[in-house]
Amino acid sequence: MEIHGFFFLFFLIFTLLLPSQSAAISPCASRTFSSNRVFSTCAALPHLSASLHWTLDPSTTLLSLAFAAPAPSDGWLAWAVNPTADGMIGSQTLIAFRGGPSGAVVVKTYNITSYGPVKEGPIGIDVSDVAGEYVGSEMRIFAKVKLARGTTKVNGVWQVGESVADGVPAKHAFAADNLAAKGVVDLVKGVSVGGGGGNSVLRKKNIHGVLNAVSWGILLPLGAIIARYLKTFKSADPAWFYLHVSCQLIGYAVGVAGWATGLNLGSKSKGIQYTTHRNIGITLFALGTVQLFALFLRPNKDHKYRLYWNIYHHSVGYTVIVLGVVNVFKGLQILQPLHKWKEAYIVVICILAGIAVLLEVVTWIIVLRRKSDKSSGAHDGANGANGRRGVQQPLSA
Ligand SMILES: *[C@@H]1O[C@H](CO)[C@@H](O)[C@H](O)[C@H]1NC(C)=O
């Protein structure tokens, strides 16, 4: 019954979370630069109406670039390459502002190591011919960057700030556009990868989030609900079992895919480690795999070891559900998607919990009624195997 609904929800969430491919607002305008600078390629970057023009000389791996974005005349503009991570920390940054004589644009270098005030200093990338200009309402940075051999993509980070105090660029705004201003630039294909909604890492994180929220966070709890409550209804007898097994197998398969995307993200994020999230994820994979064996090791209903199988299957199962939901929330905390995603997940979990509570009550009513039927109607042959099972172990599902 709910299966189709959940697949629908899955695809709905999946499609909505994928960044839209719509073009950025500001296309690569036909700019002309001072000193007859020309570049072979231009990409409109997905945030802050920024664009990057460049020429990459493959033989010398020298990247000549111009970075441009609208900025207040007394503000600043930053372009950075982050060799180690995909965010601000670790960025090897060029910042332009009007700090020279009679308002000339100066460009300085900053090794960003914290979210505190920036400090000018040497940076870990080889830059030369650094310059800046302010044209119209647009700030521009020029530089030549010597790339490592074979480099075809760089992690770009960029930013616009409102003001400069005593020669130090002041903190930028924290609007969504500011926080999202980073992405991988493919220097060969000439595109900012994953334009529109962010960057390829963000996109991978979103896919990771959706896969895991749907599998560990929704399908597995749903499968447990099916097993626990549907078996009370005699008419659903073999059906509940197949539904339960299919739901958990699909959940496990999607979950393993999500888990693999998580490992991949973890190996790429050298700078930052989300230890708890990662450890819970590894535990979940291990327990989920142990649970998979339950299917093959299941003794017959009347087998003397069945009790132990029940204990193992149920304790591992409930642990997986609790840890799964906890880790979805941990992941939401890390990914910080728009609030509506967290709210949507909370709504789904509350609906599942509501269904579980309702069915728990219904189950007890049915079980108690069967019990009283049985005690009043002495030798009542109608209470077959199903009925007896229902009476004796209403909670062992
Ligand atoms: C930038 O700062 C980090 C952290 O303090 C340091 O490890 C690194 O060597 C610095 N890079 C340069 C070029 O100074």
Short mmCIF file of all heavy atoms in Angstrom, two decimals, residues 164-224:
data_model
loop_
_atom_site.label_atom_id
_atom_site.label_comp_id
_atom_site.label_asym_id
_atom_site.label_seq_id
_atom_site.Cartn_x
_atom_site.Cartn_y
_atom_site.Cartn_z
N VAL A 164 35.81 47.74 4.09
CA VAL A 164 37.20 47.49 4.47
C VAL A 164 37.50 48.44 5.62
O VAL A 164 37.22 49.63 5.52
CB VAL A 164 38.15 47.78 3.29
CG1 VAL A 164 39.61 47.61 3.71
CG2 VAL A 164 37.82 46.86 2.11
N ALA A 165 38.02 47.92 6.73
CA ALA A 165 38.32 48.78 7.87
C ALA A 165 39.82 48.77 8.13
O ALA A 165 40.39 47.70 8.38
CB ALA A 165 37.55 48.30 9.11
N ASP A 166 40.46 49.93 8.07
CA ASP A 166 41.91 50.06 8.30
C ASP A 166 42.71 49.08 7.45
O ASP A 166 43.62 48.41 7.96
CB ASP A 166 42.24 49.84 9.79
CG ASP A 166 41.53 50.86 10.68
OD1 ASP A 166 41.37 52.00 10.22
OD2 ASP A 166 41.11 50.48 11.79
N GLY A 167 42.35 48.96 6.21
CA GLY A 167 43.11 48.10 5.31
C GLY A 167 42.83 46.62 5.48
O GLY A 167 43.47 45.79 4.86
N VAL A 168 41.84 46.26 6.33
CA VAL A 168 41.50 44.84 6.51
C VAL A 168 40.07 44.60 6.01
O VAL A 168 39.13 45.26 6.50
CB VAL A 168 41.59 44.43 8.01
CG1 VAL A 168 41.24 42.96 8.17
CG2 VAL A 168 42.96 44.73 8.56
N PRO A 169 39.91 43.72 5.03
CA PRO A 169 38.56 43.43 4.54
C PRO A 169 37.67 42.93 5.69
O PRO A 169 38.07 42.02 6.42
CB PRO A 169 38.79 42.32 3.51
CG PRO A 169 40.22 42.46 3.10
CD PRO A 169 40.94 42.96 4.32
N ALA A 170 36.52 43.56 5.88
CA ALA A 170 35.65 43.18 6.99
C ALA A 170 34.79 41.98 6.58
O ALA A 170 34.60 41.69 5.41
CB ALA A 170 34.78 44.37 7.40
N LYS A 171 34.27 41.33 7.60
CA LYS A 171 33.42 40.14 7.43
C LYS A 171 32.36 40.34 6.35
O LYS A 171 31.73 41.39 6.29
CB LYS A 171 32.73 39.90 8.78
CG LYS A 171 32.26 38.50 9.02
CD LYS A 171 31.63 38.40 10.40
CE LYS A 171 32.62 37.81 11.40
NZ LYS A 171 32.03 37.58 12.71
N HIS A 172 32.19 39.34 5.52
CA HIS A 172 31.16 39.44 4.48
C HIS A 172 29.78 39.09 5.04
O HIS A 172 29.68 38.60 6.17
CB HIS A 172 31.50 38.53 3.30
CG HIS A 172 31.60 37.07 3.66
ND1 HIS A 172 30.51 36.27 3.82
CD2 HIS A 172 32.69 36.29 3.89
CE1 HIS A 172 30.91 35.05 4.13
NE2 HIS A 172 32.22 35.02 4.19
N ALA A 173 28.75 39.35 4.25
CA ALA A 173 27.39 39.00 4.68
C ALA A 173 27.23 37.48 4.69
O ALA A 173 28.05 36.77 4.10
CB ALA A 173 26.39 39.64 3.73
N PHE A 174 26.22 36.99 5.38
CA PHE A 174 26.02 35.55 5.49
C PHE A 174 24.75 35.08 4.81
O PHE A 174 24.11 34.13 5.23
CB PHE A 174 26.04 35.13 6.98
CG PHE A 174 27.43 35.11 7.53
CD1 PHE A 174 28.06 36.29 7.91
CD2 PHE A 174 28.15 33.93 7.64
CE1 PHE A 174 29.36 36.29 8.38
CE2 PHE A 174 29.44 33.93 8.11
CZ PHE A 174 30.05 35.11 8.48
N ALA A 175 24.40 35.78 3.73
CA ALA A 175 23.23 35.35 2.96
C ALA A 175 23.55 34.03 2.26
O ALA A 175 24.72 33.65 2.12
CB ALA A 175 22.89 36.42 1.94
N ALA A 176 22.51 33.34 1.83
CA ALA A 176 22.70 32.03 1.19
C ALA A 176 23.66 32.13 0.01
O ALA A 176 24.51 31.26 -0.19
CB ALA A 176 21.36 31.48 0.73
N ASP A 177 23.55 33.21 -0.75
CA ASP A 177 24.40 33.39 -1.93
C ASP A 177 25.87 33.52 -1.52
O ASP A 177 26.76 33.01 -2.21
CB ASP A 177 23.94 34.65 -2.68
CG ASP A 177 23.99 34.44 -4.18
OD1 ASP A 177 23.94 33.28 -4.64
OD2 ASP A 177 24.08 35.45 -4.92
N ASN A 178 26.12 34.20 -0.41
CA ASN A 178 27.51 34.35 0.06
C ASN A 178 28.07 33.00 0.49
O ASN A 178 29.20 32.64 0.16
CB ASN A 178 27.57 35.30 1.27
CG ASN A 178 27.20 36.72 0.90
OD1 ASN A 178 26.04 37.07 0.93
ND2 ASN A 178 28.19 37.53 0.53
N LEU A 179 27.25 32.26 1.25
CA LEU A 179 27.74 31.00 1.80
C LEU A 179 27.94 29.94 0.73
O LEU A 179 28.75 29.04 0.87
CB LEU A 179 26.77 30.49 2.88
CG LEU A 179 26.61 31.44 4.07
CD1 LEU A 179 25.63 30.87 5.07
CD2 LEU A 179 27.95 31.71 4.75
N ALA A 180 27.20 30.06 -0.37
CA ALA A 180 27.28 29.04 -1.41
C ALA A 180 28.30 29.37 -2.48
O ALA A 180 28.46 28.61 -3.44
CB ALA A 180 25.91 28.85 -2.04
N ALA A 181 28.99 30.49 -2.32
CA ALA A 181 29.88 30.95 -3.40
C ALA A 181 31.17 30.15 -3.45
O ALA A 181 32.23 30.61 -3.01
CB ALA A 181 30.17 32.44 -3.23
N LYS A 182 31.08 28.96 -3.94
CA LYS A 182 32.25 28.10 -4.12
C LYS A 182 31.86 27.03 -5.12
O LYS A 182 30.68 26.75 -5.30
CB LYS A 182 32.67 27.48 -2.79
CG LYS A 182 31.53 26.76 -2.10
CD LYS A 182 31.91 26.28 -0.72
CE LYS A 182 30.75 25.47 -0.14
NZ LYS A 182 31.02 24.91 1.16
N GLY A 183 32.85 26.44 -5.76
CA GLY A 183 32.53 25.39 -6.71
C GLY A 183 33.75 24.97 -7.49
O GLY A 183 34.78 25.64 -7.50
N VAL A 184 33.60 23.82 -8.14
CA VAL A 184 34.72 23.30 -8.92
C VAL A 184 34.65 23.90 -10.32
O VAL A 184 33.61 23.88 -10.96
CB VAL A 184 34.64 21.76 -9.00
CG1 VAL A 184 35.77 21.23 -9.87
CG2 VAL A 184 34.70 21.16 -7.62
N VAL A 185 35.76 24.47 -10.75
CA VAL A 185 35.83 25.00 -12.11
C VAL A 185 36.62 24.02 -12.96
O VAL A 185 37.76 23.68 -12.62
CB VAL A 185 36.49 26.39 -12.14
CG1 VAL A 185 36.51 26.93 -13.56
CG2 VAL A 185 35.76 27.34 -11.22
N ASP A 186 35.99 23.53 -14.01
CA ASP A 186 36.66 22.63 -14.93
C ASP A 186 37.35 23.47 -15.99
O ASP A 186 36.72 24.05 -16.87
CB ASP A 186 35.64 21.68 -15.56
CG ASP A 186 36.32 20.59 -16.38
OD1 ASP A 186 37.31 20.91 -17.07
OD2 ASP A 186 35.86 19.45 -16.33
N LEU A 187 38.67 23.57 -15.89
CA LEU A 187 39.41 24.51 -16.74
C LEU A 187 39.49 24.04 -18.19
O LEU A 187 39.69 24.84 -19.09
CB LEU A 187 40.83 24.68 -16.19
CG LEU A 187 40.91 25.24 -14.77
CD1 LEU A 187 42.30 25.10 -14.22
CD2 LEU A 187 40.46 26.69 -14.75
N VAL A 188 39.30 22.73 -18.40
CA VAL A 188 39.39 22.22 -19.76
C VAL A 188 38.04 22.33 -20.46
O VAL A 188 37.94 22.81 -21.58
CB VAL A 188 39.90 20.76 -19.74
CG1 VAL A 188 39.88 20.18 -21.14
CG2 VAL A 188 41.30 20.72 -19.16
N LYS A 189 37.00 21.87 -19.77
CA LYS A 189 35.67 21.95 -20.38
C LYS A 189 35.14 23.38 -20.38
O LYS A 189 34.19 23.70 -21.08
CB LYS A 189 34.69 21.05 -19.62
CG LYS A 189 34.99 19.58 -19.79
CD LYS A 189 33.77 18.75 -19.43
CE LYS A 189 34.07 17.27 -19.43
NZ LYS A 189 33.81 16.67 -18.11
N GLY A 190 35.74 24.22 -19.56
CA GLY A 190 35.33 25.61 -19.55
C GLY A 190 34.02 25.85 -18.84
O GLY A 190 33.22 26.69 -19.25
N VAL A 191 33.75 25.07 -17.79
CA VAL A 191 32.50 25.28 -17.07
C VAL A 191 32.73 25.27 -15.57
O VAL A 191 33.69 24.68 -15.08
CB VAL A 191 31.46 24.17 -17.39
CG1 VAL A 191 30.91 24.35 -18.78
CG2 VAL A 191 32.06 22.79 -17.22
N SER A 192 31.83 25.91 -14.89
CA SER A 192 31.77 25.79 -13.45
C SER A 192 30.86 24.60 -13.20
O SER A 192 29.68 24.65 -13.48
CB SER A 192 31.22 27.07 -12.87
OG SER A 192 30.55 26.81 -11.69
N VAL A 193 31.42 23.52 -12.71
CA VAL A 193 30.67 22.26 -12.61
C VAL A 193 29.49 22.42 -11.65
O VAL A 193 29.63 22.97 -10.56
CB VAL A 193 31.60 21.14 -12.11
CG1 VAL A 193 30.84 19.84 -11.99
CG2 VAL A 193 32.77 21.00 -13.06
N GLY A 194 28.33 21.92 -12.07
CA GLY A 194 27.16 21.96 -11.21
C GLY A 194 26.65 23.37 -11.03
O GLY A 194 26.25 23.74 -9.96
N GLY A 195 26.68 24.15 -12.07
CA GLY A 195 26.22 25.53 -11.99
C GLY A 195 24.76 25.62 -11.58
O GLY A 195 24.05 24.64 -11.60
N GLY A 196 24.34 26.81 -11.20
CA GLY A 196 22.95 27.00 -10.82
C GLY A 196 22.73 26.78 -9.35
O GLY A 196 22.49 27.71 -8.62
N GLY A 197 22.84 25.56 -8.87
CA GLY A 197 22.48 25.29 -7.49
C GLY A 197 23.67 25.16 -6.56
O GLY A 197 23.49 24.90 -5.40
N GLY A 198 24.86 25.25 -7.03
CA GLY A 198 25.98 25.10 -6.13
C GLY A 198 27.14 24.48 -6.86
O GLY A 198 27.50 24.91 -7.92
N ASN A 199 27.72 23.43 -6.30
CA ASN A 199 28.85 22.81 -6.97
C ASN A 199 28.72 21.30 -6.90
O ASN A 199 27.79 20.77 -6.32
CB ASN A 199 30.14 23.29 -6.33
CG ASN A 199 30.15 22.94 -4.85
OD1 ASN A 199 29.91 21.80 -4.49
ND2 ASN A 199 30.39 23.92 -4.01
N SER A 200 29.67 20.61 -7.48
CA SER A 200 29.53 19.17 -7.59
C SER A 200 29.61 18.49 -6.23
O SER A 200 28.96 17.49 -6.00
CB SER A 200 30.59 18.62 -8.53
OG SER A 200 31.84 18.69 -7.90
N VAL A 201 30.38 19.07 -5.31
CA VAL A 201 30.46 18.44 -4.00
C VAL A 201 29.13 18.58 -3.27
O VAL A 201 28.61 17.63 -2.68
CB VAL A 201 31.61 19.07 -3.17
CG1 VAL A 201 31.60 18.52 -1.77
CG2 VAL A 201 32.95 18.77 -3.84
N LEU A 202 28.55 19.79 -3.39
CA LEU A 202 27.25 20.01 -2.76
C LEU A 202 26.22 19.05 -3.35
O LEU A 202 25.40 18.46 -2.65
CB LEU A 202 26.80 21.46 -2.97
CG LEU A 202 25.44 21.79 -2.36
CD1 LEU A 202 25.46 21.62 -0.86
CD2 LEU A 202 25.03 23.21 -2.72
N ARG A 203 26.30 18.87 -4.64
CA ARG A 203 25.37 17.98 -5.32
C ARG A 203 25.53 16.54 -4.84
O ARG A 203 24.57 15.85 -4.55
CB ARG A 203 25.66 18.09 -6.81
CG ARG A 203 24.66 17.44 -7.70
CD ARG A 203 25.30 17.35 -9.07
NE ARG A 203 24.41 16.72 -10.01
CZ ARG A 203 23.78 17.40 -10.97
NH1 ARG A 203 23.95 18.69 -11.08
NH2 ARG A 203 23.00 16.76 -11.80
N LYS A 204 26.80 16.14 -4.68
CA LYS A 204 27.06 14.79 -4.16
C LYS A 204 26.54 14.65 -2.74
O LYS A 204 26.00 13.62 -2.36
CB LYS A 204 28.56 14.50 -4.18
CG LYS A 204 29.04 14.04 -5.53
CD LYS A 204 30.51 13.65 -5.47
CE LYS A 204 31.08 13.57 -6.86
NZ LYS A 204 32.50 13.89 -6.90
N LYS A 205 26.71 15.71 -1.95
CA LYS A 205 26.22 15.66 -0.58
C LYS A 205 24.71 15.53 -0.57
O LYS A 205 24.14 14.80 0.24
CB LYS A 205 26.65 16.92 0.19
CG LYS A 205 28.10 16.89 0.60
CD LYS A 205 28.46 18.11 1.41
CE LYS A 205 29.91 18.05 1.86
NZ LYS A 205 30.36 19.30 2.47
N ASN A 206 24.05 16.25 -1.48
CA ASN A 206 22.59 16.18 -1.54
C ASN A 206 22.15 14.77 -1.93
O ASN A 206 21.21 14.23 -1.34
CB ASN A 206 22.05 17.19 -2.55
CG ASN A 206 22.10 18.60 -2.02
OD1 ASN A 206 22.20 18.80 -0.80
ND2 ASN A 206 22.04 19.59 -2.89
N ILE A 207 22.83 14.18 -2.91
CA ILE A 207 22.46 12.83 -3.33
C ILE A 207 22.69 11.86 -2.17
O ILE A 207 21.83 11.03 -1.86
CB ILE A 207 23.30 12.41 -4.57
CG1 ILE A 207 22.87 13.26 -5.77
CG2 ILE A 207 23.13 10.93 -4.86
CD1 ILE A 207 23.69 13.05 -7.01
N HIS A 208 23.83 12.02 -1.50
CA HIS A 208 24.13 11.20 -0.33
C HIS A 208 23.02 11.34 0.71
O HIS A 208 22.52 10.35 1.24
CB HIS A 208 25.48 11.66 0.25
CG HIS A 208 25.79 11.14 1.61
ND1 HIS A 208 26.23 9.85 1.84
CD2 HIS A 208 25.73 11.73 2.83
CE1 HIS A 208 26.42 9.68 3.13
NE2 HIS A 208 26.12 10.80 3.76
N GLY A 209 22.60 12.57 0.95
CA GLY A 209 21.56 12.83 1.94
C GLY A 209 20.24 12.19 1.56
O GLY A 209 19.59 11.54 2.39
N VAL A 210 19.85 12.32 0.31
CA VAL A 210 18.56 11.77 -0.11
C VAL A 210 18.58 10.24 -0.05
O VAL A 210 17.66 9.62 0.50
CB VAL A 210 18.23 12.23 -1.55
CG1 VAL A 210 16.99 11.52 -2.06
CG2 VAL A 210 18.00 13.72 -1.58
N LEU A 211 19.63 9.64 -0.57
CA LEU A 211 19.71 8.17 -0.56
C LEU A 211 19.60 7.64 0.87
O LEU A 211 18.86 6.70 1.14
CB LEU A 211 21.04 7.70 -1.17
CG LEU A 211 21.20 7.88 -2.68
CD1 LEU A 211 22.58 7.41 -3.11
CD2 LEU A 211 20.12 7.12 -3.44
N ASN A 212 20.34 8.26 1.79
CA ASN A 212 20.36 7.74 3.15
C ASN A 212 19.09 8.08 3.92
O ASN A 212 18.63 7.26 4.71
CB ASN A 212 21.60 8.25 3.89
CG ASN A 212 22.85 7.54 3.39
OD1 ASN A 212 22.93 6.32 3.44
ND2 ASN A 212 23.79 8.28 2.87
N ALA A 213 18.55 9.26 3.69
CA ALA A 213 17.31 9.62 4.39
C ALA A 213 16.20 8.67 3.95
O ALA A 213 15.40 8.20 4.76
CB ALA A 213 16.94 11.06 4.11
N VAL A 214 16.15 8.36 2.66
CA VAL A 214 15.09 7.50 2.16
C VAL A 214 15.28 6.06 2.63
O VAL A 214 14.33 5.40 3.02
CB VAL A 214 15.02 7.56 0.61
CG1 VAL A 214 14.14 6.47 0.06
CG2 VAL A 214 14.50 8.92 0.17
N SER A 215 16.54 5.57 2.62
CA SER A 215 16.76 4.17 2.98
C SER A 215 16.75 3.96 4.49
O SER A 215 15.80 3.43 5.05
CB SER A 215 18.07 3.69 2.39
OG SER A 215 19.14 4.53 2.81
N TRP A 216 17.82 4.40 5.16
CA TRP A 216 17.93 4.19 6.61
C TRP A 216 16.85 4.95 7.35
O TRP A 216 16.36 4.50 8.38
CB TRP A 216 19.30 4.65 7.12
CG TRP A 216 20.45 4.02 6.41
CD1 TRP A 216 21.22 4.62 5.46
CD2 TRP A 216 20.95 2.69 6.57
NE1 TRP A 216 22.18 3.73 5.03
CE2 TRP A 216 22.05 2.55 5.68
CE3 TRP A 216 20.58 1.61 7.37
CZ2 TRP A 216 22.78 1.37 5.58
CZ3 TRP A 216 21.32 0.45 7.26
CH2 TRP A 216 22.40 0.32 6.38
N GLY A 217 16.51 6.12 6.83
CA GLY A 217 15.61 7.00 7.57
C GLY A 217 14.13 6.77 7.33
O GLY A 217 13.32 7.17 8.15
N ILE A 218 13.75 6.15 6.19
CA ILE A 218 12.32 5.98 5.92
C ILE A 218 11.96 4.52 5.60
O ILE A 218 11.09 3.94 6.23
CB ILE A 218 11.89 6.91 4.75
CG1 ILE A 218 12.06 8.38 5.15
CG2 ILE A 218 10.43 6.63 4.38
CD1 ILE A 218 11.74 9.37 4.06
N LEU A 219 12.65 3.93 4.62
CA LEU A 219 12.26 2.58 4.17
C LEU A 219 12.40 1.54 5.27
O LEU A 219 11.51 0.70 5.46
CB LEU A 219 13.10 2.17 2.96
CG LEU A 219 12.66 2.75 1.62
CD1 LEU A 219 13.63 2.34 0.53
CD2 LEU A 219 11.26 2.29 1.27
N LEU A 220 13.52 1.57 6.02
CA LEU A 220 13.73 0.55 7.04
C LEU A 220 12.70 0.67 8.18
O LEU A 220 12.11 -0.34 8.55
CB LEU A 220 15.17 0.57 7.55
CG LEU A 220 16.23 0.24 6.49
CD1 LEU A 220 17.61 0.07 7.12
CD2 LEU A 220 15.88 -1.00 5.69
N PRO A 221 12.45 1.88 8.71
CA PRO A 221 11.37 1.98 9.70
C PRO A 221 10.02 1.52 9.12
O PRO A 221 9.25 0.83 9.79
CB PRO A 221 11.32 3.47 10.05
CG PRO A 221 12.66 4.01 9.69
CD PRO A 221 13.16 3.16 8.55
N LEU A 222 9.75 1.88 7.88
CA LEU A 222 8.49 1.49 7.25
C LEU A 222 8.39 -0.04 7.18
O LEU A 222 7.34 -0.63 7.49
CB LEU A 222 8.40 2.10 5.85
CG LEU A 222 7.16 1.71 5.05
CD1 LEU A 222 5.93 2.36 5.66
CD2 LEU A 222 7.31 2.12 3.60
N GLY A 223 9.49 -0.69 6.81
CA GLY A 223 9.50 -2.15 6.72
C GLY A 223 9.26 -2.80 8.07
O GLY A 223 8.59 -3.84 8.15
N ALA A 224 9.80 -2.19 9.12
CA ALA A 224 9.58 -2.73 10.46
C ALA A 224 8.12 -2.59 10.86
O ALA A 224 7.53 -3.50 11.45
CB ALA A 224 10.48 -2.00 11.45
#
